[in-house]
């Protein structure tokens, strides 16, 4: 039996920030992480994976002002740089520079402003934009919500999309220098310097609790005990059914928390990381029939529709992206099948042969977050009445169990590292001020 003042399940951004804060306040903190590394859905790959430089398999951008994230990066001496390059659209195989992400955005926002109460996006589009003349608008709005927000259009909040599309700084999306790995390392270093403990490969199977006492039983038989526990597991883990990989049991169960988790939106994402020997997209050649010079972002009708480069860096890395229902439909495909689909998509975009594109590969990785048993998705999105469900899921229980993570965040940075950090900080404050119940 390992005892401490506070147990934290999950060493992602929320768990690490809370752990560091609590340890610095003098609490004996133990963080249990099921993976063999900290970071959770932050995963920076490097030369060990064959890449020439740090490569983000998970979180990658700073979406908007994200003040807490930037404050921490500055504290750890980590800078960031803006994205650059030309944004392209490719339809029916033909590329052109893109003007805006939604062609009829002003009309869309006008109708969203007339909406008297929140409804799912699919219902809004059906009611306010029926008929064949709006087919392109419906398709574009749906594709953007499902691609960018990893959302299901049948569930995502129209009010939340109205706020997002009206502009809240999300278009400003720089990258941390060297990836998010430095943020994770900084938090882990501060945790350990304050006397906190990080235990890796600790897969929680059961959490047995009563007011003032909780025990976490791991799959390998280790048992950890503390008067307070902070749960920062991803929303997908909360949603996992009994018997499904990733599920953990609560004894006694918290039916209200579980039910709230089921009501929230959590989207799958597949990232396709392709590093080439040369920037084959930059100019026409005998093998390349359509060049995309200085491509920054690209949106297309290819099976893997969204791509971006590392502009302004000259790195020869292309990142492909499939999210939302399209990613869910691919959950049974193998990594090899997903790689083939990505290479075929790049070949289509460049008017090249798939064989040539494959020959130019230097390193690759396909990361399917929806099938990762310790995540079961990538990030949350706002559904109708999301704030109420998030409040229920994050409600402390008997001053003993607490909840944090980006899935319970309400604010302008939904689905981001910032969201996780903010909830971790809030949970730490709550725990520091909570009366310790009699055990």
């Amino acid at each position: 039996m390992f005892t401490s003042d506070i147990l934290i399940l999950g060493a992602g951004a929320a768990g690490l920030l809370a752990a560091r804060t609590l340890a610095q306040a003098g609490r004996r903190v133990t963080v249990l992480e099921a993976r063999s590394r900290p970071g959770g859905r932050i995963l920076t790959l490097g030369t060990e994976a064959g890449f020439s430089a740090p490569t983000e398999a998970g979180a990658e951008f700073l979406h908007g002002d994200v003040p807490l994230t930037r404050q921490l990066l500055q504290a750890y001496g980590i800078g960031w740089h803006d994205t650059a390059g030309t944004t392209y659209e490719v339809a029916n195989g033909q590329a052109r520079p893109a003007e805006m992400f939604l062609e009829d955005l002003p009309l869309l926002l006008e109708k969203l402003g007339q909406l008297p109460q929140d409804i799912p996006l699919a219902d809004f589009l059906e009611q306010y934009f029926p008929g064949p003349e709006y087919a392109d608008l419906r398709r574009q709005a749906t594709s953007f919500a499902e691609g960018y927000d990893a959302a299901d259009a049948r569930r995502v909040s129209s009010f939340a999309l109205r706020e997002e599309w009206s502009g809240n700084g999300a278009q400003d999306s720089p990258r941390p220098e060297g990836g998010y790995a430095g943020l994770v390392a900084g938090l882990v270093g501060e945790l350990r310097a304050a006397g906190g403990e990080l235990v890796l490969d600790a897969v929680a199977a059961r959490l047995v609790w009563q007011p003032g006492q909780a025990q976490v039983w791991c799959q390998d038989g280790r048992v950890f005990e503390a008067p307070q526990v902070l749960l920062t597991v991803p929303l997908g883990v909360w949603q996992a059914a009994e018997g499904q990989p990733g599920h953990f049991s609560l004894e006694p169960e918290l039916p209200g928390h579980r039910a709230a988790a089921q009501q929230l939106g959590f989207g799958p994402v597949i990232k396709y990381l392709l590093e080439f020997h040369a920037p084959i997209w930059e100019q026409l050649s005998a093998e390349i029939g359509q060049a995309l010079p200085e491509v920054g972002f690209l949106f297309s009708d290819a099976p893997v529709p969204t791509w971006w480069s590392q502009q302004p860096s000259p790195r020869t890395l292309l990142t492909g992206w499939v999210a939302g229902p399209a990613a869910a439909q691919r959950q049974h495909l193998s990594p090899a099948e997903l790689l083939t689909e990505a290479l075929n998509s790049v070949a289509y975009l460049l008017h090249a042969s798939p064989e040539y594109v494959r020959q130019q590969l230097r390193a690759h990785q396909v990361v399917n977050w929806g099938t990762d048993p310790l995540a079961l998705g990538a990030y949350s999105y706002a559904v109708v009445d999301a704030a109420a469900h998030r409040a229920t899921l994050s409600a402390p229980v008997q001053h003993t169990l607490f909840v944090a993570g980006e899935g319970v965040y309400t604010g302008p940075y939904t689905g981001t590292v910032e969201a996780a950090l903010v909830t971790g900080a809030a949970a730490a404050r709550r725990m520091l001020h909570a009366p310790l119940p009699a055990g």
Side-chain angles (χ1 to χ4, degrees):
M1 183 79 68
F2 303 90
T3 62
S4 55
D5 295 333
I6 293 173
L7 285 174
I8 296 180
L9 296 192
L16 288 176
L17 182 67
R20 178 214 67 170
T21 304
L22 292 163
Q24 289 177 340
R27 300 295 174 89
R28 292 183 301 135
V29 179
T30 300
V31 182
L32 304 180
E33 171 54 52
R35 302 182 190 274
S36 58
R37 57 168 182 84
R41 285 164 282 162
I42 293 174
L43 174 56
T44 306
L45 304 175
T47 54
E48 79 286 347
F51 294 101
S52 63
T55 301
E56 296 290 40
E60 182 168 350
F61 300 97
L62 303 174
H63 292 287
D65 295 334
V66 293
L68 182 52
T69 306
R70 294 181 189 236
Q71 175 187 332
L72 288 167
L73 291 173
Q74 287 179 323
Y76 302 143
I78 301 169
W80 52 82
H81 61 270
D82 290 333
T83 56
T86 301
T87 298
Y88 288 92
E89 289 179 333
V90 176
N92 300 315
Q94 300 306 307
R96 66 182 177 93
E99 296 180 1
M100 57 192 308
F101 70 91
L102 286 172
E103 291 181 4
D104 293 313
L105 181 60
L107 177 61
L108 197 60
L109 290 175
E110 178 188 342
K111 296 297 184 182
L112 282 168
Q114 298 170 7
L115 198 58
Q117 64 183 33
D118 200 6
I119 57 176
L121 175 66
D123 294 344
F124 162 75
L125 293 173
E126 182 179 337
Q127 292 177 28
Y128 284 78
F129 295 100
E133 68 271 26
Y134 292 119
D136 282 345
L137 183 149
R138 293 194 301 270
R139 177 186 56 78
Q140 288 182 359
T142 300
S143 295
F144 192 82
E146 293 184 343
Y148 183 83
D149 296 278
D152 186 335
R154 298 168 299 179
R155 301 190 62 212
V156 66
S157 158
S158 292
F159 280 3
L161 292 173
R162 181 179 65 190
E163 180 180 350
E164 176 187 321
W165 294 345
S166 296
N168 59 8
Q171 304 306 314
D172 174 25
S173 300
R175 296 181 176 92
E177 298 285 355
Y180 271 104
L183 177 66
V184 173
L187 289 171
V188 170
E190 289 190 314
L191 167 66
R192 287 174 170 157
E197 184 179 13
L198 172 61
V199 182
L200 301 176
D201 298 307
V203 183
R206 300 167 56 210
L207 195 166
V208 182
W209 69 279
Q210 60 186 36
Q213 184 180 31
Q215 294 179 344
V216 175
W217 296 70
C218 294
Q219 289 183 359
D220 60 8
R222 286 179 292 176
V223 182
F224 297 83
E225 184 177 56
Q228 294 179 313
V229 177
L230 174 60
L231 297 161
T232 72
V233 298
L235 186 56
V237 173
W238 274 105
Q239 294 174 341
E242 186 174 359
Q244 181 182 356
H247 175 83
F248 71 98
S249 67
L250 291 163
E251 303 171 21
E253 185 57 85
L254 300 176
H257 287 65
R258 294 276 195 189
Q262 293 297 331
Q263 295 300 315
L264 290 168
F266 195 59
V269 164
I270 305 171
K271 282 188 89 169
Y272 305 79
L273 306 169
L274 308 181
E275 186 167 10
F276 295 89
H277 292 292
I280 57 175
W281 53 89
E282 284 291 344
Q283 57 188 9
L284 298 175
S285 68
E287 295 84 7
I288 301 298
Q290 176 166 261
L292 303 167
E294 297 185 348
V295 60
F297 287 84
L298 182 147
F299 305 99
S300 74
D301 54 1
V304 179
T306 303
W307 294 86
W308 60 82
S309 73
Q310 295 294 299
Q311 283 277 357
S313 165
R315 275 195 73 191
T316 55
L317 177 73
L318 287 182
T319 298
W321 178 268
V322 171
Q329 292 165 7
R330 290 163 165 79
Q331 63 182 338
H332 300 301
L333 295 180
S334 69
E337 291 171 320
L338 292 171
L339 175 63
T340 296
E341 184 176 54
L343 295 174
N344 289 344
S345 295
V346 173
Y348 162 76
L349 298 171
L350 300 180
H351 295 184
S353 71
E355 294 76 20
Y356 174 75
V357 174
R358 186 182 290 270
Q359 290 167 4
Q360 297 304 306
L361 266 185
R362 166 183 173 155
H364 66 272
Q365 191 90 6
V366 177
V367 186
N368 190 343
W369 287 103
T371 59
D372 183 322
L374 301 177
L376 298 172
Y379 51 81
S380 63
Y381 62 89
V383 297
V384 177
D385 295 327
H389 299 310
R390 289 165 175 160
T392 299
L393 179 56
S394 62
V397 182
Q398 299 288 317
H399 306 302
T400 303
L401 302 182
F402 299 79
V403 178
E406 61 86 20
V408 298
Y409 169 86
T410 296
Y413 305 115
T414 298
T416 65
V417 173
E418 177 78 2
L421 293 170
V422 168
T423 65
R429 290 193 298 269
R430 206 174 291 129
M431 298 177 82
L432 287 172
H433 292 99
L436 287 176

